[in-house]
Amino acid sequence: MAYQIKSQEEQEFLNNYRPGDYENPAVTTDMYLFGYRPSEKKMYTLLIQRGGHPCRGYWAFPGGFIEIDESLEDAVARELMEETSIEGISCVQMYAWGEVDRDPRQRVITVGHVALVNLDDVKPIAGDDAAKAGWFAIDQISCEKKEYENQAGHRVVELKKQVTLTKDELRFAPVILETREYGKYLSSKSEIADDSKMAFDHARAAVDAIWFLRDQIQKTDITYNVFHKLATPEQKQEILDSLKIVEQ
């Protein structure tokens, strides 16, 4: 719904408002598309090889800059179509990444979206600034947990998360380190321990999106897009088993 002016005074303020007086960040949106193949009982994720700078030749998730007259949902659908020729995918907004120096061009905030489909229904074809597009098998998901008490007497939990993605001779195994400190308030931070030579900070997205997808499978009807009907508990469990986390 379009914003409605509240008063003449507000209208005068807006008439004199100059956006160019302020330095604002750019906004992008990425699609973390997962494809499940029931015949293999295996999960894949879609990556593109970047055809231009920055990170030319590196692999990333499809996505790009939002145009001024687009919604987030329209932008992520357009970018997915332009880079992979895939259309008509319903998705769920995940969350945003906004570290100051995550993109060398300018300050960029990225809003991520997650979708799950039947892999056999979707045939990616690279386009726009994507040199290649392809499904990468999720071969392993692991999590190493450490707990200790710090000098302040607070309980600290460290999670070392890793996923392994493979396609032919290509292999990515990004590692994310999450630290949670339980003091008067909960504080947490996440950092990339090994980007596995993925573009930008997409190593973090590769890990975080898989954990997010597991949560969506357990709590929502996102698996409908795999079977084109409500999944049975057994089918949901099969999909979750394809994303089994190996605890170390």
Side-chain angles (χ1 to χ4, degrees):
M1 183 176 69
Y3 182 81
Q4 301 296 316
I5 305 300
K6 303 297 188 293
S7 65
Q8 182 60 36
E9 183 182 7
E10 184 178 54
Q11 182 65 68
E12 292 173 0
F13 165 80
L14 293 172
N15 289 342
N16 294 309
Y17 182 78
R18 296 184 299 177
D21 290 346
Y22 306 93
E23 187 176 7
N24 295 312
V27 181
T28 65
T29 183
D30 288 343
M31 173 68 87
Y32 313 127
L33 180 60
F34 294 92
Y36 181 70
R37 178 169 277 160
S39 60
E40 294 181 10
K41 297 183 179 180
K42 194 170 185 64
M43 189 70 73
Y44 294 75
T45 192
L46 183 67
L47 298 177
I48 58 117
Q49 186 182 43
R50 289 181 55 80
H53 290 299
C55 298
R56 185 170 68 183
Y58 284 68
W59 288 81
F61 290 96
F65 289 93
I66 296 171
E67 296 180 357
I68 196 65
D69 58 350
E70 283 185 310
S71 68
L72 290 169
E73 293 74 18
D74 288 344
V76 75
R78 174 183 55 78
E79 286 289 345
L80 181 66
M81 186 275 293
E82 290 177 352
E83 294 187 338
T84 70
S85 301
I86 296 172
E87 301 182 82
I89 301 297
S90 61
C91 60
V92 178
Q93 189 177 125
M94 187 176 161
Y95 44 78
W97 285 268
E99 287 81 357
V100 173
D101 57 356
R102 57 187 299 272
D103 192 302
R105 293 166 292 188
Q106 62 187 115
R107 175 74 192 280
V108 174
I109 296 171
T110 297
V111 181
H113 294 75
V114 169
L116 174 64
V117 298
N118 187 315
L119 184 144
D120 295 321
D121 293 341
V122 178
K123 308 297 181 185
I125 302 173
D128 195 28
D129 58 356
K132 296 179 182 178
W135 290 108
F136 282 70
I138 300 176
D139 284 338
Q140 182 171 302
I141 308 169
S142 64
C143 183
E144 180 181 338
K145 182 178 180 180
K146 293 182 180 179
E147 294 190 43
Y148 58 90
E149 186 175 290
N150 64 15
Q151 293 181 340
H154 299 162
R155 175 174 167 247
V156 177
V157 177
E158 288 186 354
L159 300 174
K160 182 180 179 182
K161 298 179 177 180
Q162 182 173 30
V163 301
T164 303
L165 312 176
T166 61
K167 175 179 171 56
D168 303 325
E169 75 284 357
L170 295 172
R171 179 181 182 273
F172 300 113
V175 179
I176 304 302
L177 181 62
E178 292 183 7
T179 304
R180 302 170 187 167
E181 181 176 344
Y182 297 85
K184 182 178 180 180
Y185 302 101
L186 170 64
S187 65
S188 62
K189 65 178 181 179
S190 173
E191 58 184 336
I192 300 173
D194 184 348
D195 67 7
S196 197
K197 296 185 177 180
M198 295 185 72
F200 302 107
D201 57 356
H202 286 213
R204 185 197 311 275
V207 175
D208 288 349
I210 287 173
W211 258 260
F212 182 86
L213 176 63
R214 285 178 51 85
D215 186 64
Q216 289 294 301
I217 291 169
Q218 292 171 322
K219 296 179 179 179
T220 73
D221 294 328
I222 195 170
T223 51
Y224 190 98
N225 295 336
V226 174
F227 304 103
H228 307 293
K229 61 182 179 180
L230 290 173
T232 65
E234 292 75 19
Q235 288 171 326
K236 274 196 173 186
Q237 188 57 52
E238 280 185 4
I239 296 178
L240 284 171
D241 288 344
S242 73
L243 296 169
K244 181 180 179 181
I245 298 174
V246 178
E247 296 185 0
Q248 300 178 336

